[in-house]
């Protein structure tokens, strides 16, 4: 029997008041008990939380055709409820595609103007665009907080997903990650719920611009359920509220049947758009290998083409062509299927003609190395080129000639064998760090110290290091300083690297940066002189060539302040086998070894200690400390050590000049302890010039030069 406040007798009121006093006073208020049984608050009983409830998220019903409970109530037992409640500041925009005339009856619409909502829409769109460009979650969160209007955040949710749906997998993954990060902290759960509700309702409109809206939106909803930002009951409630003919119902069914009901659905959904955004070149190469091997096993061209498209790397399709051709040469039975796949991909536009040509060209450039593993590689590649050209999907005339390549690149067996052995020596060195073993192996493999073979070894060493981690790059630089190759041989090795840099860039995108750093490091370690950079530059044709870019970057690295110290630590540690040394540690070691020698130590032992520091770019510190000690103590024992270091090539003229120059910069401080320091300094400069340590143009007086990092200490 229905009743309301006007038909409740005083006797009934007393009974209800008594019942209220016996219950938890925080659960039900007398005012709530006095409401009609049909009132939503009365239906809640102790499960209904008012706005003053300490519970964080209200649970309200989604019943009713317009998506709201009757009389603005909060639903019944077991519902999420109240998720369309937007607060007193909500208003209705008649221009909104989701506009509902029933909302005009809501009294809360009067406090905000349509102009505010229009402005919010514009700013929300800008924030989404900036997020897709920068991938900065923290900045996006701060912008949303600064924007205000938390009651409009449902629109941000809707806009973010609708824009991501029309973009690549990267943006879809970014959108899902942003929502799961901002959920509850920046965007309240009811706003997330409402945003997804609006998307489902507008699925028909979205289908005009996004043909596969059903599948994409279903996946977004499934991802939200997996990420715990939507309740599983969202699907059933929305299906019950929507007319059956709308696409939104199809979206919800797809999410439930195809995604959330599948075995291991959480892992599958999480990785559907790539999961990790930090996909590396090695990851792509591994995916290419997997799809080619799977294709050879099953022969499904349509699936293989779909997988190629799914990689989303059209600029890297030449790698697919190259690896497919190598696979065809290694497995003769796979040649037919591989050529069929490449033909299909070319005709369907999955791989364009430019990428096909580049893949063949890369293989032609490396055919000599490939011949070491596949002796008939040259003939097999020529056959593949002929077949591809006859089928019409390759323009053979645009490729380099294999015969010209053969005439140009014929190498004797000894050189080919040396390349194989050099690869093995370098790989073993990266595992053992045994420099002496490398030197011993090179002496046996190259007994005549052939300049050509030395250059090939330098090229192989740096090539292998560039494709590895910083530890191996550091080890390669250390090895270069230990081999004592002639500087011209090392320079020729770098020239070989620069000549092949364009092909290397296909496998190692950062080839310019890595080569520039190796080149700068070689100059800092004094295995190359600055003059060698000029010679390398003279052989680089064109300002836009990779060689010119490498040279320009290397010079800028060397011109930077404290370039030696920075370049030394470019890969995380010093050139010595001891990692983590700081400049102050090195200074301390130099001071102790000079002090030990000055007190009666052995000259040969002192030279060995200086060499073992493995920091030739910092030998100016040895010169500076030795010269200061000589002038302070008027004891020339350390002067003799400097002479020995110069004579055996341990300290170069360049480092001598830097050391004497630093002493000149500290002259004012030294004069406090050594009054005649200026006269002594001029005397030793002249002696150093006579001995050939310093260039004749070196000036005994320097002023105004900056003192770096307390080097005068």
């Amino acid at each position: 029997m229905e009743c309301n406040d006007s038909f409740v007798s005083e006797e009934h009121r007393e009974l209800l008041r008594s019942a209220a006093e016996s219950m938890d006073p925080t659960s039900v208020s007398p005012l709530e008990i006095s409401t009609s049984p049909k009132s939503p608050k009365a239906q809640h009983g102790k499960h209904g939380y008012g706005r003053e409830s300490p519970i964080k998220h209200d649970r309200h019903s989604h019943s009713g055709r317009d998506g709201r409970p009757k009389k603005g109530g909060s639903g019944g037992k077991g519902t999420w409820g109240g998720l369309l409640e937007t607060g007193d500041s909500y208003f209705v925009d008649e221009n909104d595609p989701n506009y509902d005339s029933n909302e005009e009856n809501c009294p809360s619409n009067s406090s905000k103007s349509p102009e505010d909502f229009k402005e919010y829409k514009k700013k929300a769109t800008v924030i989404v665009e900036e997020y897709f460009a920068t991938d900065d979650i923290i900045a996006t969160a701060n912008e949303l907080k600064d924007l205000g209007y938390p009651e409009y955040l449902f629109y941000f949710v809707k806009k973010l997903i609708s824009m991501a749906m029309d973009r690549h997998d990267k943006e879809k993954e970014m959108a899902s990650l942003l929502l799961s990060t901002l959920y509850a902290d920046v965007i309240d759960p009811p706003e997330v719920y409402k945003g997804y509700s609006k998307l489902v309702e507008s699925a028909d409109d979205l289908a005009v611009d996004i043909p596969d809206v059903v599948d994409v939106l279903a996946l977004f909803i499934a991802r939200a359920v997996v990420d715990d930002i939507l309740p599983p009951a969202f699907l059933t409630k929305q299906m019950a509220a929507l007319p059956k003919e709308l696409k939104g119902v199809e979206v919800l069914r797809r999410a439930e049947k195809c995604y959330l009901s599948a075995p291991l659905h959480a892992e599958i959904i999480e990785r559907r758009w790539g999961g990790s955004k930090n996909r590396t070149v090695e990851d792509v190469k591994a995916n290419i290998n997997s799809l080619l091997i799977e294709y050879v096993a099953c022969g499904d061209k349509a699936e293989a083409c779909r997988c190629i498209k799914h990689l989303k790397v059209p600029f890297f399709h030449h790698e697919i062509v190259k690896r497919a051709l190598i696979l065809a040469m290694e497995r003769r039975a796979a040649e037919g299927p591989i050529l069929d796949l490449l033909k299909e991909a070319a005709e369907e536009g999955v791989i364009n003609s430019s990428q096909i040509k580049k893949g063949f060209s890369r293989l032609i450039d490396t055919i000599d190395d490939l011949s070491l593993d596949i002796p008939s590689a040259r003939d097999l590649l020529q056959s593949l080129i002929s077949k591809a050209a006859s089928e019409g999907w390759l323009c053979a005339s645009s490729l380099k000639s294999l015969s010209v390549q053969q005439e140009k690149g014929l190498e004797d067996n000894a050189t080919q064998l040396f390349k194989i052995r050099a690869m093995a020596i370098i790989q073993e060195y990266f595992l053992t760090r045994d420099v002496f073993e490398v030197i011993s192996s090179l002496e046996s493999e190259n007994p005549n110290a052939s300049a050509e073979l030395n250059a090939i070894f330098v090229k192989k060493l740096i090539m292998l290091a560039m494709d590895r981690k910083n530890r191996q790059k550091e080890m390669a630089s250390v090895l270069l300083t230990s081999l004592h190759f002639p500087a011209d041989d090392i320079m020729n090795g770098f020239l070989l690297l620069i000549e092949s840099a364009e092909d290397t860039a296909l496998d190692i995108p950062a080839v310019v940066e890595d080569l520039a750093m190796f080149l700068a490091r070689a100059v800092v370690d004094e295995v190359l002189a600055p003059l060698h950079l000029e010679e390398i530059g003279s052989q680089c044709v064109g300002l836009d060539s990779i060689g010119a870019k490498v040279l320009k970057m290397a010079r800028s690295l060397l011109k930077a302040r404290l370039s030696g110290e920075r370049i030394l630590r470019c890969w995380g540690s010093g050139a010595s086998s001891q990692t983590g040394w700081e400049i102050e540690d090195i200074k301390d070691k130099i001071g102790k070894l000079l002090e030990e020698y000055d007190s009666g130590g052995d000259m040969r032992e002192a030279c060995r200690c200086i060499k073992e520091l493995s920091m030739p770019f910092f030998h100016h510190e040895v010169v500076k400390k030795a010269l200061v000690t000589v002038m302070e103590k008027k004891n020339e024992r350390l002067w003799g050590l400097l002479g020995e270091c110069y004579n055996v090539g341990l300290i170069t003229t360049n480092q001598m000049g830097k050391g004497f120059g630093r002493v000149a910069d500290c002259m004012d401080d030294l004069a406090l302890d050594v009054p005649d320091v200026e006269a002594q300094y001029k005397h030793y400069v002249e002696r150093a010039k006579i001995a050939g340590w310093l260039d004749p143009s070196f000036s005994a007086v320097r002023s105004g030069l900056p003192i770096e990092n307390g080097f005068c200490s």
Side-chain angles (χ1 to χ4, degrees), residues 492-505:
N492 289 331
F494 275 100
L495 284 171
L496 292 175
L497 284 163
I498 290 173
E499 287 173 5
S500 61
E502 289 194 11
D503 294 329
T504 306

Side-chain angles (χ1 to χ4, degrees), residues 477-616:
S477 290
V478 171
L479 183 59
L480 277 182
T481 64
S482 306
L483 291 177
H484 301 297
F485 282 174
D488 287 342
D489 295 355
I490 294 176
M491 182 192 71
N492 289 331
F494 275 100
L495 284 171
L496 292 175
L497 284 163
I498 290 173
E499 287 173 5
S500 61
E502 289 194 11
D503 294 329
T504 306
L506 300 174
D507 295 317
I508 308 171
V511 64
V512 172
E513 293 82 356
D514 283 351
L515 262 183
M517 189 60 76
F518 270 111
L519 193 57
R521 177 65 179 269
V523 174
V524 166
D525 288 340
E526 297 194 347
V527 296
L528 285 180
L531 195 61
H532 287 111
L533 296 183
E534 304 300 326
E535 192 166 345
I536 292 172
S538 67
Q539 300 191 38
C540 295
V541 181
L543 294 176
D544 294 330
S545 66
I546 287 186
K549 292 177 182 177
V550 168
L551 203 62
K552 181 179 179 181
M553 184 173 290
R555 284 171 174 159
S556 65
L557 288 169
L558 290 166
K559 287 179 181 178
R561 187 173 181 270
L562 300 176
S563 60
E565 290 78 358
R566 290 178 177 177
I567 293 171
L568 174 74
R569 284 161 180 77
C570 59
W571 292 306
S573 65
S576 68
S577 60
Q578 309 263 353
T579 60
W581 279 5
E582 299 293 337
I583 292 296
E584 292 304 321
D585 297 332
I586 301 299
K587 287 183 178 183
D588 186 56
K589 289 178 182 292
I590 291 172
K592 287 180 179 178
L593 77 86
L594 291 178
E595 184 180 346
E596 183 178 345
Y597 174 73
D598 195 36
S599 61
D602 180 68
M603 181 175 288
R604 184 175 298 178
E605 177 67 14
C607 290
R608 186 187 66 79
C609 290
I610 294 173
K611 185 175 182 180
E612 285 185 353
L613 289 173
S614 297
M615 300 183 78

